[in-house]
Each structure stands twice: as structure tokens, then as C-alpha cells.
Amino acid sequence: MSEHQVSRFARPQSPLYIVVLAIVFVFSLMLAYVGLRPINHLDWVTTAQFLRYQTQLESPYSEDLSMDPDLALYHDDYVFLPYAPWTVFYFGVLAYATTRLIVALMVAAWIVIIIDSGKPLALILILHPLFILSWASGNLDFLVSGVGLWLIIRGVRGWRLGMSIMLIAVKPQVLPLLFLLEGVRILWERDWEALATVVVIFAVSNTLFPGWLAWMADKLPQYFDMVRGTKEQIEVSFAGGKYPFSVFGAWGFLPAVGVSLLILLLMLRRWTEWRTLAVLLGLVWTPYINPYSYAVLLVLLRKSSWWHVLIYLAIGIASLPVLFAEWHSLERYGLLLFLLLVPILTPPDREQFEEQIAARHRTRTLPLVGKFKTWQAQILVLLPLSGKER
């Protein structure tokens, strides 16, 4: 990669550009707060109660807690939410916020992500069922996974990378493979500042709230039981739900293998675009996620052409009366459709190819990247159109 290419990629990191994005964020936040109303309060009020216990330095990892009077208006009983203990470092300031503000924050974050991509037409994906599910839930999932993914693909490093990785790890079940990939990258590139940030956040938060580690020690063996087939997928969840929406969680091992192979085939010319693969395959193999977690896919469409964006939106809207007409009936099929459309309707993101990332960071590529390129070339030779660009 030339110095010109490197500088061009880094230019959006300038302080003035960040100030512009901040202004866009604030303006979008105000408009969304005035113009949008929340649909559901349950997800946020239970999260808010979790955060309130944390801000009061009380452990939220118990099912015997109560709701504050203002939150009990929406839900009487405390719902046990095993979010990571460092959630308070990111969202503690919102412990007394309303659901309306959370929805507005999601919209403002989406607008900033798209403006930053340089393809403003993708803003209309706010009308896609994936974003509507996120809006309707009032859940902070997109502020975790969507924003975390965006920061990582923008190329943050050092303490910012550490903060981004731990933001994603607030809900580690949504993007587990991306979390592992960036963790390996930190070690491989010896980004000690990022590593120190991760270690400090983890150590301090678990010192303050050790109940999470005890819960994880009890819960993780259940996932291994599920993998071994001694426990059904529906018996295991991350936060108490009983209707998993990942491919593995919904249909089991062999369907997950089949969908993974199909994704690899659709991404055949993009096998070293590991971050995108980590997002897609992570949604296949994670044991349990909710429908609104799939909103993170919209970030991958941020650079798609206008007609690909319109196709994705049109298919999404057309699917609403069929796949999303009844609660927890056919949504799984709709989400699988949206997942498989992403590698079809998104262009190769050259800046995210492992070779390009290594060139920007002036380091060697991660292990196995060379092997992947070799396997990719061998398969492409066997295809009748191997000499043509996709």
C-alpha cells in the first residue's frame, strides 16, 4: 500500500472531522428525540435498573432485587440481566435516562456511521426491519455492537481499540468471533496500550462486581453441554430467553455448517476480509441472540451502491407481512435471509482485507492469511469465470 493510500485512509481521523461528526451526532440526537416515540419500554427499564445498582456499587447479579418505583410503572419485577460488569463504564451515565433517549441515541449513532461512510443514501436503511426491530425493542444492542464494529473498522488503535473491544464485549454473545479476532490482532501486533486498556477495564469491573464471573462459571458448562448434544439449544440462553435466533441456536450444528459454507462461497473473493466474515459467521455460530442483534448487519452495508441498498430495503419491507407478521413464528427465516443477502449486496471492502490492515499497521499479516489466499486461488482456478472480476 502506498503512502498516499495510507494517508487517505487516515484523513478522517483528523480533529476537525471528528468535531463535524460530533455536531452531526448532537443535531441528529435532538431531531430523533423530538420526532420518535419508543414502542417498548421493557428492555430499557430492566437495563436501567441493572445500571442503577451498578452506579450505587451494588451487585446487580441477583434475581431477588426490586425495581425502582419509576421503572416499576413499566415492569414490576426485576429481570436478571447478566451484562458484563464493565457495562457501567460505558452506559452508567444513562442509568436514569428514558427509553426515548436510548432510541434517539441509536438513530444518531446510525446517522453518524453512514455520514462517515460517504454513502448517505444508506441512511434509508433506518426503515429496514432490522433497524425497526432495534427501535421497537428499546434495547441498547446497536449502541454496543453497531458502534463497536464501526469503531474497529475505522481503524482505531491503542486505548481506543481496547475501549472498542470491551464495548463489543458488553454483549459478547453477539460478535464473539470479531472479539476473538481483534484480541488476537492486539497480541500479534503487540498493541500493549490496547491490551492494557482491556486488562484494566476487566480487572477493575470484576473487582467491583465479582458476581458476573460466578455466573459465567455456572453458565459456560451449559454451552459445552449444548455443543456435545446433551442439552437442547432451547434449554440454554444467555439471558433467560428461550427462543434463540442464531442459526446454530435455532436449528443446530449441521444447518450452521451448511450456512457457514454458503457464506464462504458467497464471500469467495473476500476470504481475507476477516472482519466481515467474523461478523457473519459469528451470527451463525453464537448460541443465543435476539432478533434486534442482527441490526449490526446494516453497518456492513454502509458502502453499498444505491441500488444494492434499495434492493436490501425492498426485500426487507416485502418480508414484513410474511416473515414478521406473528411473534416468534417465522422471524428466524427472515433474519437468515437478511444475513445471506449481506455478502451478495455488499462490495469487497478492500480497506478491511487483512493484507491492507497489515500494510497500514506496518506489520506482518496475521497467521493463516497466506493459507487462506492460497486456498482461495486454488478454488477460483476451478471456476469457469475465475479470470473475471466479480
Side-chain angles (χ1 to χ4, degrees):
M1 175 180 285
S2 68
E3 290 296 324
H4 172 69
Q5 289 172 307
V6 172
S7 62
R8 185 181 63 176
F9 182 83
R11 191 176 302 155
Q13 308 291 337
S14 67
L16 179 59
Y17 185 81
I18 300 301
V19 169
V20 171
L21 287 184
I23 294 173
V24 170
F25 177 82
V26 172
F27 186 68
S28 302
L29 177 64
M30 291 189 297
L31 286 181
Y33 188 85
V34 172
L36 294 178
R37 291 186 301 174
I39 298 172
N40 166 59
H41 293 277
L42 173 62
D43 281 41
W44 174 246
V45 298
T46 51
T47 301
Q49 187 64 71
F50 175 93
L51 292 169
R52 289 183 186 186
Y53 279 117
Q54 285 194 305
T55 57
Q56 296 161 13
L57 297 182
E58 298 180 40
S59 176
Y61 301 107
S62 172
E63 298 185 27
D64 300 323
L65 301 173
S66 60
M67 298 287 283
D68 288 354
D70 62 315
L71 300 181
L73 294 174
Y74 301 101
H75 192 69
D76 293 336
D77 301 321
Y78 181 74
V79 176
F80 173 60
L81 296 174
Y83 290 145
W86 51 87
T87 305
V88 68
F89 298 155
Y90 294 90
F91 299 105
V93 69
L94 298 174
Y96 292 87
T98 62
T99 311
R100 193 182 194 115
L101 179 59
I102 301 306
V103 172
L105 284 169
M106 284 191 291
V107 172
W110 170 249
I111 292 174
V112 167
I113 289 170
I114 297 306
I115 295 299
D116 181 57
S117 74
K119 297 273 189 176
L121 182 65
L123 287 170
I124 64 173
L125 288 175
I126 199 171
L127 302 175
H128 193 276
L130 289 178
F131 201 92
I132 293 174
L133 285 170
S134 191
W135 168 24
S137 71
N139 194 286
L140 54 74
D141 199 299
F142 187 78
L143 297 176
V144 172
S145 303
V147 173
L149 173 63
W150 170 61
L151 291 171
I152 286 176
I153 60 183
R154 286 194 89 246
V156 294
R157 302 192 71 193
W159 67 268
R160 295 176 182 83
L161 176 57
M163 292 283 290
S164 301
I165 289 175
M166 294 305 282
L167 175 60
I168 286 176
V170 165
K171 290 194 168 191
Q173 76 276 22
V174 179
L175 297 175
L177 297 184
L178 182 67
F179 175 79
L180 292 175
L181 172 63
E182 297 309 315
V184 169
R185 195 186 309 280
I186 281 178
L187 298 175
W188 180 254
E189 297 182 356
R190 296 180 175 85
D191 191 342
W192 305 128
E193 185 178 340
L195 180 61
T197 302
V198 169
V199 170
V200 169
I201 291 175
F202 183 88
V204 172
S205 61
N206 279 283
T207 299
L208 292 172
F209 308 104
W212 182 75
L213 287 177
W215 179 85
M216 289 291 288
D218 176 66
K219 198 68 175 179
L220 284 179
Q222 297 184 37
Y223 287 112
F224 291 115
D225 289 341
M226 187 176 68
V227 173
R228 290 195 297 264
T230 59
K231 185 168 286 193
E232 293 294 327
Q233 287 90 348
I234 202 169
E235 297 180 68
V236 180
S237 72
F238 195 84
K242 297 298 181 185
Y243 202 86
F245 286 88
S246 66
V247 177
F248 177 62
W251 296 297
F253 179 79
L254 289 179
V257 170
V259 172
S260 298
L261 292 175
L262 181 55
I263 289 174
L264 289 173
L265 178 62
L266 294 173
M267 295 279 289
L268 183 56
R269 295 183 182 275
R270 303 164 63 179
W271 273 9
T272 58
E273 197 178 321
W274 282 8
R275 283 172 170 165
T276 301
L277 281 172
V279 174
L280 298 176
L281 295 178
L283 294 174
V284 171
W285 285 101
T286 186
Y288 190 96
I289 50 173
N290 287 296
Y292 48 73
S293 297
Y294 281 82
V296 71
L297 291 174
L298 298 177
V299 178
L300 299 179
L301 285 117
R302 71 198 186 284
K303 292 185 177 181
S304 295
S305 63
W306 65 269
W307 61 281
H308 281 159
V309 168
L310 291 179
I311 289 174
Y312 197 76
L313 178 61
I315 293 175
I317 293 176
S319 72
L320 281 173
V322 179
L323 300 176
F324 297 87
E326 296 184 22
W327 178 252
H328 285 186
S329 176
L330 299 176
E331 299 109 307
R332 288 166 163 173
Y333 300 96
L335 296 171
L336 176 59
L337 173 64
F338 299 154
L339 175 67
L340 294 177
L341 283 173
V342 169
I344 297 173
L345 298 177
T346 56
D349 192 344
R350 303 291 178 184
E351 293 173 347
Q352 301 305 320
F353 280 23
E354 288 298 320
E355 311 92 284
Q356 304 285 7
I357 294 173
R360 287 198 302 274
H361 295 179
R362 295 179 173 84
T363 186
R364 294 176 297 153
T365 56
L366 288 172
L368 298 181
V369 170
K371 284 287 187 183
F372 269 71
K373 289 181 66 67
T374 300
W375 297 333
Q376 179 189 48
Q378 291 172 344
I379 294 174
L380 285 172
V381 166
L382 301 177
L383 298 180
L385 298 178
S386 61
K388 297 182 180 180
E389 286 296 323
R390 182 176 170 182

